[in-house]
Amino acid sequence: MSLIKGETGDWEVVLGLEVHAQVISEAKLFSGAPTAFGADPNTQVSLVDAAMPGMLPVINAHCVEQAVRTGLGLNAKINLRSVFDRKNYFFPDLPAGYQISQYKDPIVGEGEVEIDLEGGKSRKVGIERLHLEQDAGKSLHDQHATQTYIDLNRSGVALMEIVSKPDMRSADEAAAYLTKLRSIVRYLGTCDGNMDEGSMRCDVNVSVRKPGEPLGTRCEIKNVNSIRFVKQAIEYEARRQVEIIEAGGKIDQETRRFDPGRGETRSMRSKEDAHDYRYFPDPDLLPLILTQDFVDGIKKSLPELPDTKKDRFVSAYKLTPYDAGVLVAEKETAEFFETVANGRDAKEAVKLVTGDFFAMLNRRGATIADSPISAANLGKLLDLQADGTISGRIAKDLFVAMEETGKDPAVLVEERGLRQVTDTGAIETAARAVIEANPDKVAAYKAKPTMFGWFVGQVMKATGGKANPKAVNETLKKLLDA
């Protein structure tokens, strides 16, 4: 538990997150309009999205399947009967004057997510519900000096609102929860998790209390679009609330926004309660009825999810929980590693992937998809070391050549003459030449055996780094100690 030190003692922060995850679907929730990111304003709007009179919503079956798939990935209860409601409020970018959402009867009920914390610890965070709803449009305030422009491309796009229980107690736990949730939906293929494009956004509910006391009054910080900003917003807001209470004030339940430039939260409006939205079942939509066979069919199609994959990596490849956690965080990374490690020394594979390979990607600002070195070729590099074709030192140079050319390492070994020298006769010739040229160093070695490394370095230098290190050591030992 992470506590905040106040003037009157310790305070506990209590956190619950509402994550809006945009469903991966080529069409919107209740219309056939496209959903591609980056289209020109108002070019992906159907008559339903624009709320033209007489237009009726038609549910997108794929979006329903995606919501069920996500619920199953969160170990949650799938409700075979759910109801779409109208959530009434008035915004310029909400042309109907209401949002079609779900309230009392959501498609997904309670579930849980296991989060990974520092020191190899983990804990579970409860999921309250997941419901489907349509997104609103977007108000653009910076296009004109006195007018606000409205882009309805996003209007009607399917969202999954994933509501956690107030189970988190620190900014780090909230970050771990978001990271895991993003990983799960990306594995499932139900949301791309691109927070910078707005396809995953987060409302953060923050309250503080003395440990053991009832929950305090919460404030909701709206539409935070990065994990780093979520942490900053929580830390600022929790401290703000503690200072107000300790000064004799009280916390008003309100909606706030986070200003990344100033690193602070600001009041937007008093927090609405459910009754303010006047929810009622949408008269244009029948209750959504699913069959257990439909749910079971989706369950059978689920991929191996991060927690299961992590456990398998620990047991099958004998990795540490930390290394396994790093590798399974992204599906592409896990698949890349498995290709490299398949049939090879897994510890050498993880060292190469999380070491030189990750460093190369960071240096280039690249993703695995952009990598000039394929998983198959990285595996071949390990094979060349394992069978003695190249030494560890040559492997470093070969890795650089693979990055520069994208070529198969076996081809590069032949093209550049990098094959390791294992001929003991050639190694002995090089070793004798070094010894004969440096009688003073030989005398120094006799007095101080730690000088041995100098001779190894000279022989490796003389052979262009291609000599087998084990053979070099054995040959020098025999000659120097004779």
Side-chain angles (χ1 to χ4, degrees):
M1 183 189 297
S2 177
L3 298 174
I4 298 172
K5 303 288 183 186
E7 291 181 4
T8 61
D10 291 339
W11 292 82
E12 181 183 30
V13 60
V14 178
L15 305 167
L17 271 57
E18 300 169 19
V19 175
H20 293 83
Q22 181 177 320
V23 176
I24 292 178
S25 170
E26 292 184 1
K28 295 182 180 180
L29 184 54
F30 297 111
S31 83
T35 59
F37 178 76
D40 290 336
N42 296 307
T43 58
Q44 300 188 156
V45 187
S46 76
L47 297 176
V48 174
D49 308 323
M52 291 298 175
M55 294 298 105
L56 294 175
V58 178
I59 189 84
N60 181 337
H62 179 67
C63 293
V64 172
E65 184 178 330
Q66 293 284 64
V68 171
R69 192 173 174 82
T70 304
L72 291 169
L74 299 175
N75 300 306
K77 179 179 184 292
I78 307 301
N79 295 321
L80 299 182
R81 181 186 185 276
S82 60
V83 175
F84 284 98
D85 299 280
R86 289 188 181 181
K87 179 181 182 181
N88 297 274
Y89 61 96
F90 296 95
F91 260 47
D93 51 21
L94 192 70
Y98 61 83
Q99 178 185 28
I100 301 178
S101 182
Q102 293 185 311
Y103 178 44
K104 288 184 177 177
D105 298 295
I107 191 167
V108 176
E110 292 188 342
E112 63 181 19
V113 169
E114 186 167 326
I115 60 172
D116 303 313
L117 304 171
E118 281 190 11
K121 295 178 182 176
S122 64
R123 63 181 297 256
K124 289 182 168 60
V125 173
I127 300 294
E128 183 69 41
R129 56 190 277 136
L130 176 156
H131 63 258
L132 275 170
E133 64 183 21
Q134 54 180 182
D135 205 350
K138 188 175 183 182
S139 296
L140 305 171
H141 305 294
D142 56 355
Q143 309 290 305
H144 192 278
T146 60
Q147 296 178 345
T148 291
Y149 287 12
I150 303 296
D151 178 9
L152 293 180
N153 277 351
R154 214 166 63 186
S155 177
V157 166
L159 299 178
M160 298 177 289
E161 181 168 343
I162 304 166
V163 182
S164 83
K165 295 185 177 181
D167 287 350
M168 288 158 276
R169 296 293 180 267
S170 71
D172 285 339
E173 287 189 4
Y177 168 78
L178 263 180
T179 300
K180 177 57 76 68
L181 193 61
R182 182 175 180 272
S183 178
I184 290 170
V185 296
R186 283 166 64 91
Y187 265 77
L188 291 167
T190 57
C191 173
D192 63 24
N194 292 336
M195 297 185 81
D196 56 336
E197 293 181 1
S199 56
M200 192 168 176
R201 317 191 289 275
C202 182
D203 299 341
V204 188
N205 290 284
V206 183
S207 66
V208 297
R209 66 179 178 186
K210 290 285 188 180
E213 290 190 357
L215 293 174
T217 302
R218 65 188 170 91
C219 292
E220 181 183 40
I221 306 161
K222 293 290 286 186
N223 287 333
V224 189
N225 67 353
S226 85
I227 293 173
R228 180 165 61 94
F229 291 161
V230 164
K231 289 183 69 172
Q232 291 175 6
I234 289 168
E235 285 161 359
Y236 175 87
E237 179 62 20
R239 174 60 60 185
R240 183 190 76 87
Q241 292 184 20
V242 167
E243 289 174 357
I244 288 173
I245 298 168
E246 289 192 329
K250 72 180 188 70
I251 303 301
D252 295 321
Q253 184 172 323
E254 62 179 349
T255 299
R256 301 177 68 85
R257 64 178 287 268
F258 178 64
D259 182 341
R262 294 173 176 264
E264 63 186 30
T265 64
R266 295 181 189 169
S267 181
M268 288 174 65
R269 59 183 181 270
S270 61
K271 172 66 179 165
E272 299 91 343
D273 288 312
H275 62 261
D276 294 318
Y277 291 116
R278 304 189 318 284
Y279 280 100
F280 63 88
D282 192 300
D284 293 332
L285 290 161
L286 291 169
L288 181 61
I289 308 296
L290 308 177
T291 65
Q292 191 59 51
D293 285 347
F294 174 77
V295 175
D296 292 343
I298 295 173
K299 191 169 188 176
K300 286 177 185 173
S301 73
L302 294 185
E304 184 181 43
L305 291 172
D307 288 342
T308 308
K309 195 178 287 289
K310 178 182 175 183
D311 291 343
R312 181 169 64 80
F313 277 19
V314 170
S315 62
Y317 295 116
K318 304 296 184 283
L319 302 187
T320 65
Y322 174 81
D323 282 341
V326 169
L327 291 168
V328 305
E330 296 288 347
K331 186 180 179 185
E332 296 78 11
T333 307
E335 290 173 348
F336 187 94
F337 166 74
E338 287 222 77
T339 302
V340 175
N342 187 27
R344 303 182 177 99
D345 184 327
K347 289 186 178 176
E348 289 300 317
V350 76
K351 193 161 65 174
L352 182 58
V353 171
T354 61
D356 290 348
F357 182 73
F358 277 7
M360 181 268 291
L361 291 183
N362 288 337
R363 189 174 63 250
R364 297 172 71 97
T367 65
I368 282 177
D370 308 323
S371 170
I373 302 177
S374 70
N377 281 347
L378 206 59
K380 289 178 183 177
L381 179 64
L382 288 176
D383 291 339
L384 291 170
Q385 268 187 273
D387 67 14
T389 301
I390 60 171
S391 65
R393 177 176 166 181
I394 294 173
K396 293 281 186 186
D397 296 336
L398 191 53
F399 183 90
V400 173
M402 290 165 68
E403 179 188 352
E404 289 171 351
T405 66
K407 288 185 177 181
D408 183 311
V411 172
L412 288 168
V413 165
E414 299 307 323
E415 284 181 355
R416 303 192 180 195
L418 297 175
R419 187 175 289 274
Q420 182 172 239
V421 176
T422 54
D423 177 358
T424 52
I427 291 171
E428 184 170 332
T429 300
R432 285 187 184 281
V434 170
I435 290 169
E436 288 168 6
N438 296 280
D440 55 329
K441 298 289 186 184
V442 174
Y445 165 75
K446 298 290 186 185
K448 190 179 180 185
T450 53
M451 280 290 295
F452 185 77
W454 182 86
F455 287 94
V456 173
Q458 292 302 302
V459 174
M460 293 303 290
K461 186 177 178 182
T463 58
K466 297 175 191 173
N468 180 293
K470 185 180 177 185
V472 170
N473 275 268
E474 290 173 353
T475 302
L476 281 169
K477 201 79 177 160
K478 181 181 72 176
L479 294 175
L480 287 169
D481 293 345

